[in-house]
């Protein structure tokens, strides 16, 4: 690697620091060339937590991201970004934790936009803690919207001129969403011809680059049974089908709209049996994320499509209920690191 990968701290009251420490301890071959944009004291606490009664994982303070490329294995390199006045309790909402989490993401995104790092992998933040912080950079509902705003500012574009979409992926299924962190009522209103077609364009471009061919994209309907010919709603007839036709006219391999309760099964890949589709376009957040997460969050990865940088994250949240217990599983974080490395290499071809 010519450039390192930054892993952001996440909410330090949650499991983010713990899974980061476990990743560096247990998978040195996967974390080599990575570093944490975070807080040394928080990572040292995490290292002691996962190695209670043993010699804790050493934490190295970096002066620059480039130093991460030469850090020995089973050592946790950290670039200090902000600081906490005192440790925050595990499993409790904290404005201080939300502020620090946002600062780490902002720094990493700007470093990626400047070309100083190859990619960023974001450990989970807590949206309520982010809102509690009440400072610049914390007024976004999640990582995706924050990164979109930072990238738009860097490129001097309006948000509308830098559309982004969320894709969740694992070994069995890929799902791209038309809308992200909005209310269900707002999500229904977001199902427009322009939004569906724009999502298809973004998904087609991103997956073409990663697959090396045009992806086969299935489009889920909005209503039960995809509207049943207009009996249960006309969105499929008036909005979704015309967007699919427009995408097909542009050369994309798009089909649907299909009944949402069966299309994910058709797209699911099994050992020795590829799915019928490479990805499913879902109309809103829960429609698409429930099937992926049901298959297991351990290997799920969240990828932001449409950004001028590579960003991935684990397919789970801060898990306040088990924070500080040592039970957190780092598998999804490791999968996100692997995905970030692969996408950054494709970007540089």
């Amino acid at each position: 690697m010519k450039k390192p990968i930054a892993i952001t701290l996440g909410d330090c009251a949650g499991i983010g620091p713990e899974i980061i420490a476990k990743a560096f301890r247990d998978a040195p071959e996967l974390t080599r060339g990575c570093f944490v944009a975070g807080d040394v004291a928080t990572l040292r606490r995490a290292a002691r937590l996962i190695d209670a009664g043993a010699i804790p994982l050493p934490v190295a303070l970096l002066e620059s991201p480039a130093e991460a490329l030469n850090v020995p294995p089973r050592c946790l390199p950290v670039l200090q970004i902000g600081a906490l006045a005192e440790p925050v309790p595990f499993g409790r909402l904290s404005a201080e934790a939300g502020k620090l989490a946002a600062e780490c993401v902002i720094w990493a995104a700007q470093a990626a936009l400047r070309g100083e790092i190859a990619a960023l992998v974001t450990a989970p933040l807590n949206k309520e803690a982010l809102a509690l912080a009440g400072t610049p950079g914390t007024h976004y509902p999640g990582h995706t919207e924050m990164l979109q705003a930072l990238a738009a500012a860097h490129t001097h574009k309006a948000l509308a001129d830098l559309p982004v979409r969320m894709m969740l992926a694992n070994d069995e299924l890929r799902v791209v969403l038309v809308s992200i962190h909005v209310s269900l009522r707002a999500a229904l209103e977001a199902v427009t011809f322009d939004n569906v077609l724009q999502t298809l364009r973004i998904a087609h471009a991103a997956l073409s680059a990663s697959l090396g061919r045009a992806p086969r994209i299935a489009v889920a309907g909005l209503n039960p049974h995809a509207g049943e010919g207009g009996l249960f709603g006309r969105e499929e007839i008036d909005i979704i089908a015309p967007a699919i036709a427009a995408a097909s006219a542009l050369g994309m391999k798009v089909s649907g709209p299909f009944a949402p309760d069966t299309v994910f099964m058709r797209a699911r890949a099994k050992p020795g049996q590829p799915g019928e589709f490479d990805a499913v376009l879902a109309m809103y957040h829960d429609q698409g994320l429930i099937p992926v997460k049901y298959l297991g969050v351990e290997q799920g990865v969240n990828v932001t499509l449409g950004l001028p940088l590579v960003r991935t994250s684990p397919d789970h949240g801060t898990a306040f209920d088990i924070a500080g217990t040592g039970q957190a599983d780092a598998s999804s974080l490791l999968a996100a690191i692997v995905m970030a490395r692969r996408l950054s290499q494709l970007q540089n071809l």
Side-chain angles (χ1 to χ4, degrees):
M1 291 180 61
K2 295 181 180 179
K3 296 178 183 178
I5 291 174
I7 304 171
T8 60
L9 181 67
D11 192 302
C12 50
I15 63 170
E18 178 185 335
I19 60 174
I20 290 171
K22 286 182 176 179
F24 279 88
R25 181 194 65 184
D26 299 336
E29 70 287 354
L30 297 182
T31 54
R32 185 163 181 80
C34 299
F35 71 97
V36 184
D39 175 54
V40 169
T42 297
L43 271 303
R44 284 180 175 152
R45 179 174 75 162
R48 291 192 299 270
L49 170 70
I50 66 168
D51 288 320
I55 298 174
L57 179 76
V59 176
L61 177 62
L62 303 182
E63 293 186 3
S64 70
E67 292 180 0
L69 298 174
N70 299 313
V71 171
R74 290 193 173 85
C75 178
L76 207 173
V78 182
L79 188 71
Q80 185 72 37
I81 308 293
L84 295 170
E86 57 184 7
V88 299
F90 287 117
R92 296 185 191 175
L93 282 173
S94 164
E96 293 78 10
K99 179 176 180 293
L100 179 57
E103 289 173 347
C104 294
V105 174
I106 291 169
W107 180 89
Q110 291 174 340
L113 291 165
R114 291 192 300 264
E116 296 173 6
I117 59 175
L120 66 149
V121 178
T122 56
L125 53 73
N126 185 284
K127 295 174 179 60
E128 288 185 72
L130 202 65
L132 278 176
T135 57
T138 63
H139 57 284
Y140 300 103
H143 279 116
T144 305
E145 296 84 356
M146 189 189 308
L147 293 168
Q148 180 190 25
L150 291 167
H154 181 82
T155 55
H156 305 291
K157 292 182 178 180
L159 289 179
D161 296 327
L162 188 68
V164 299
R165 294 296 188 273
M166 178 190 290
M167 178 176 77
L168 256 72
N170 56 30
D171 292 339
E172 300 176 78
L173 188 63
R174 299 183 189 91
V175 175
V176 182
L177 308 178
V178 171
S179 62
I180 307 175
H181 299 121
V182 296
S183 70
L184 183 55
R185 188 178 302 279
L188 298 177
E189 294 170 354
V191 180
T192 66
F193 174 87
D194 289 342
N195 282 346
V196 174
L197 180 57
Q198 186 178 68
T199 308
L200 286 169
R201 285 176 177 269
I202 293 170
H204 172 82
L207 290 170
S208 294
S210 62
L211 296 174
R213 58 173 172 79
R216 302 161 300 159
I217 303 175
V219 180
L222 174 67
N223 299 297
H225 304 179
E228 198 74 73
L231 292 175
F232 306 144
R234 291 193 55 85
E235 286 85 358
E236 287 78 11
I237 296 170
D238 298 337
I239 297 170
I240 301 173
I244 292 171
S248 298
L250 293 171
M252 301 180 212
K253 295 182 178 180
V254 184
S255 51
F258 297 113
D261 58 353
T262 57
V263 67
F264 299 99
M265 292 185 285
R266 294 173 63 180
R268 181 185 179 188
K270 300 177 182 178
Q273 182 183 341
E276 189 177 340
F277 308 105
D278 296 305
V280 176
L281 191 76
M283 290 298 115
Y284 57 93
H285 185 279
D286 285 10
Q287 183 190 61
L289 266 56
I290 289 173
V292 179
K293 293 192 174 187
Y294 181 76
L295 293 175
V297 299
E298 295 83 6
Q299 294 299 323
V301 178
N302 179 357
V303 183
T304 305
L305 308 181
L307 289 172
L309 55 85
V310 173
R311 178 261 172 161
T312 66
S313 74
D315 179 20
H316 59 73
T318 50
F320 275 3
D321 56 326
I322 62 169
T325 66
Q327 300 177 54
D329 187 339
S331 298
S332 186
L333 176 66
L334 288 168
I337 293 170
V338 171
M339 179 75 79
R341 197 183 305 275
R342 184 164 67 86
L343 292 176
S344 65
Q345 289 168 345
L346 288 170
Q347 194 176 67
N348 291 321
L349 289 178

